[in-house]
Amino acid sequence: MLRTCRVLCSQASPSAGGWRPLNFDGGAFHLKGTGELTRALLVLRLCAWPPLVTHGLAVSSDPGDCPEVPQGPALSPHSLSPQLQAWSQRLLGSRLSGALLRASIYGQFVAGETAEEVRGCVQQLQTLGLRPLLAVPTEEEPDSAVKTGEAWYEGNLHAMLRCVDLSRGLLETPGPTGNILMQLKMTALTSTWLCKALTSWVRRPGASLELSPERLAEAMDSGQDLQISCLTAEQNQHLQASLSRLHRVVQVRPSAVVWLRCWAPGALTTVPHPQHARAQHVRLLVDAEYTSLNPALSLLVAALAARWNRPREGGPWVWNTYQAYLKDTHERLQQDAEAADGAGLAFGVKLVRGAYLDKEREVARLQGTEDPTQPDCEATSQSRCLELMLTHVSRRGPVCHLMVASHNEESVCQATKRMWELGIPLDGPVCFGQLLGMCDHVSLALGQAGYAVYKSIPYGSLEEVIPYLIRRAQENRSVLQGARREQELLSQELWRRLLRRGLSVPC
Ligand SMILES: Cc1cc2nc3c(=O)[nH]c(=O)nc-3n(C[C@H](O)[C@H](O)[C@H](O)COP(=O)(O)OP(=O)(O)OC[C@H]3O[C@@H](n4cnc5c(N)ncnc54)[C@H](O)[C@@H]3O)c2cc1C
């Protein structure tokens, strides 16, 4: 796979103004400090060790945490989740284990806890030509009364609004600026049980009129009571509250002043908060989750898009995420792109491989239904979702935006080549996304070549972030295990530095 990529890269002409072939050979590591490189190598080695990810970081490798599968007490996603933390706490005492986690996994994959720490991390990225894509780490716990009650979703709303503020504030820091993007996890604002109910209705023919995006958008805008006949009273009430939360993230009515706890380093104060994502020029990238929830999530995104992706708004302000590993994604992407085009709406897409492969397959097996995922990696690559979107961007221009969110060198290489062939500018409507602390050799090479590259950055306290990190580690198990090439490149760079230092030591 990598050989193909290198052949592909070397065939392209590096002539001025042409496609600049990218070198993912770790050359860009010279931009990073030795301490950072050493930590990256140690942490990636640790994460690539299967027993750690499978057992030490066990959330449960079975689908118990998937909303599709009923959960027994032993399968609660978070009853096992802090195993690593528990082990290290037992061994070292909580202070020391906290310090160790901070210096290792947390330090590698998380920006920090305070606004100052996040700013520091982002400034560092900006000097390397990379941009921030802040993500509030939230994990629903279907078994927990605390983490599914209305108050929990309201708390998450405030965290999202603080994230909007922080994302906007980061633009004032020195370094390259541009579009401000942030990730939004819909199930932090609305429950998975409602999403499952909506999904089952959206899938039925005939239910579409009552559940149309336009109707939901109208209810969001007016704040009027919405009664959907297929939902129970409790579900209708929660839908209303969820729509109101979504509306408040994108748009707070100018007359309404929402009082928020201000997220400041070391202090939580209360300040009036009249701003919202649209006014602060922050684009919201809604995450894709399980197939049992995605149709509901897409319906809510479509409702937001109907209002906020209209041409006069200069959007797209609300983007959806499409998982290339699903068999039906190419068709859905085509339909949605054409529908947005037909309605004159801007269209924003984050294209990912998909993070829930094992669980989707396990659920299909348990339920005796067809596996919704592509049979293998090759089939995912051949789904032509990337090609579809790049062609669409080149046809529609800046009203259509795409983030190629991938650590896969071949996909990234392919995207840059097609951008050049289609005449899409390097820093235009197409950008790239990778996770903080992962595949820096790819991010840095892209950034140095002038492409827009965003690092997805979770932040928060150790306690808030560990469940999120554990889940990401499990979801990306194959990527972390496959980060061998990155480890190789990191070792090479560290050896190079060591030898250079050794040679320069006076006799
Ligand atoms: C900025 C950002 C945002 C993201 N947002 C989301 C999101 O909203 N929702 C979401 O689900 N994920 C999201 N992800 C995660 C993403 O879907 C992937 O899990 C992750 O990025 C790894 O895929 P890749 O393309 O980077 O790596 P790849 O190298 O393409 O894939 C990793 C591994 O998966 C294997 N593989 C790929 N497809 C298949 C298949 N069909 N069968 C068997 N093996 C296969 C490959 O062989 C490889 O070993 C996001 C990622 C980033 C960077």
Side-chain angles (χ1 to χ4, degrees):
M1 186 168 90
L2 292 178
R3 205 174 316 124
T4 325
C5 176
R6 285 199 200 102
V7 170
L8 203 77
C9 290
S10 61
Q11 280 170 351
S13 153
S15 60
W19 177 54
R20 300 263 313 274
L22 293 173
N23 257 332
F24 298 128
D25 60 1
F29 279 151
H30 74 269
L31 298 164
K32 297 203 121 195
T34 304
E36 277 177 287
L37 296 180
T38 311
R39 183 185 64 194
L41 181 60
L42 291 176
V43 170
L44 291 178
R45 283 244 160 105
L46 196 67
C47 290
W49 187 45
L52 180 85
V53 182
T54 311
H55 305 295
L57 301 181
V59 174
S60 73
S61 53
D62 54 354
D65 53 346
C66 170
E68 197 65 20
V69 174
Q71 298 197 5
L75 294 183
S76 169
H78 294 268
S79 59
L80 292 173
S81 65
Q83 268 196 22
L84 174 78
Q85 229 177 335
W87 282 1
S88 54
Q89 271 179 16
R90 229 175 292 141
L91 285 174
L92 305 161
S94 67
R95 273 223 182 137
L96 191 51
S97 75
L100 268 181
L101 282 171
R102 269 175 203 286
S104 56
I105 295 178
Y106 179 93
Q108 176 71 13
F109 298 120
V110 182
E113 187 170 347
T114 66
E116 270 326 301
E117 283 169 349
V118 176
R119 265 189 219 110
C121 167
V122 169
Q123 274 173 12
Q124 214 183 350
L125 289 178
Q126 286 176 333
T127 58
L128 300 173
L130 309 176
R131 303 174 189 188
L133 171 69
L134 295 191
V136 178
T138 43
E139 296 296 330
E140 193 190 38
E141 290 183 35
D143 287 350
S144 151
V146 177
K147 281 204 170 183
T148 50
E150 217 59 69
W152 187 70
Y153 296 110
E154 285 295 316
N156 290 340
L157 166 69
H158 291 175
M160 296 287 176
L161 289 169
R162 289 197 293 271
C163 188
V164 171
D165 284 343
L166 190 58
S167 300
R168 176 68 186 85
L170 293 172
L171 196 67
E172 278 137 27
T173 57
T177 55
N179 286 328
I180 316 173
L181 313 181
M182 87 170 227
Q183 267 176 266
L184 187 140
K185 192 170 178 193
M186 203 61 105
T187 52
L189 301 178
T190 189
S191 71
T192 50
W193 57 262
L194 176 65
C195 290
K196 277 170 68 181
L198 284 174
T199 293
S200 69
W201 284 103
V202 168
R203 279 180 176 156
R204 285 183 208 191
S208 55
L209 275 184
E210 232 203 333
L211 279 171
S212 73
E214 292 72 23
R215 189 154 180 245
L216 296 186
E218 214 179 286
M220 245 187 250
D221 250 356
S222 66
Q224 273 171 10
D225 201 19
L226 181 75
Q227 288 301 321
I228 306 286
S229 63
C230 56
L231 299 180
T232 64
E234 196 191 355
Q235 286 170 337
N236 267 308
Q237 214 175 0
H238 182 61
L239 175 63
Q240 194 73 39
S242 304
L243 290 177
S244 156
R245 279 188 282 272
L246 288 174
H247 190 251
R248 277 141 76 197
V249 174
V250 191
Q251 153 89 65
V252 173
R253 260 165 281 144
S255 57
V257 174
V258 178
W259 290 83
L260 280 184
R261 290 190 316 159
C262 175
W263 198 61
L268 286 170
T269 50
T270 305
V271 295
H273 181 93
Q275 295 292 11
H276 47 82
R278 171 64 190 88
Q280 303 225 50
H281 302 279
V282 176
R283 296 171 198 267
L284 300 172
L285 277 58
V286 177
D287 285 349
E289 302 183 40
Y290 297 96
T291 44
S292 56
L293 310 174
N294 286 341
L297 306 183
S298 294
L299 173 69
L300 295 170
V301 172
L304 290 168
R307 172 72 181 81
W308 293 108
N309 291 353
R310 288 187 293 203
R312 67 160 188 257
E313 299 290 343
W317 295 103
V318 184
W319 303 22
N320 204 356
T321 297
Y322 292 81
Q323 297 154 316
Y325 70 3
L326 295 178
K327 286 176 190 155
D328 68 351
T329 296
H330 185 272
E331 196 185 332
R332 272 193 310 114
L333 197 50
Q334 186 147 23
Q335 278 169 4
D336 293 356
E338 280 167 12
D341 202 359
L345 295 176
F347 190 48
V349 167
K350 166 156 61 87
L351 186 60
V352 301
R353 171 181 66 95
Y356 308 99
L357 188 73
D358 294 348
K359 285 170 197 156
E360 292 288 2
R361 287 179 177 171
E362 185 63 358
V363 168
R365 192 184 62 76
L366 289 174
Q367 294 184 338
T369 51
E370 193 197 326
D371 175 2
T373 65
Q374 297 284 4
D376 50 34
C377 187
E378 197 56 30
T380 303
S381 307
Q382 282 174 8
S383 65
R384 298 184 63 79
C385 295
L386 180 63
E387 176 61 21
L388 172 78
M389 273 315 295
L390 289 174
T391 324
H392 197 70
V393 170
S394 75
R395 201 166 49 77
R396 283 201 75 195
V399 291
C400 184
H401 285 228
L402 169 68
M403 172 181 278
V404 182
S406 175
H407 305 102
N408 185 315
E409 292 180 19
E410 194 177 3
S411 308
V412 168
C413 198
Q414 181 64 19
T416 60
K417 185 164 189 282
R418 284 299 286 148
M419 282 169 71
W420 175 67
E421 286 168 355
L422 293 163
I424 300 171
L426 297 199
D427 188 4
V430 176
C431 63
F432 293 85
Q434 281 102 35
L435 303 179
L436 182 70
M438 275 181 66
C439 277
D440 282 350
H441 63 294
V442 174
S443 312
L444 290 170
L446 280 166
Q448 292 298 302
Y451 293 91
V453 191
Y454 290 81
K455 283 294 220 185
S456 172
I457 303 178
Y459 61 89
S461 69
L462 194 59
E463 295 71 34
E464 283 165 341
V465 167
I466 284 292
Y468 167 91
L469 278 179
I470 290 168
R471 225 176 245 225
R472 296 294 87 76
Q474 290 241 312
E475 286 163 10
N476 291 301
R477 199 178 333 176
S478 55
V479 181
L480 288 168
Q481 282 169 24
R484 299 240 157 71
R485 179 167 149 73
E486 193 177 357
Q487 292 171 39
E488 242 174 67
L489 296 173
L490 284 163
S491 306
Q492 272 170 25
E493 175 66 17
L494 285 168
W495 273 113
R496 199 185 56 77
R497 287 184 194 193
L498 201 69
L499 287 175
R500 204 181 45 194
R501 198 174 294 171
L503 288 178
S504 63
V505 171
C507 306

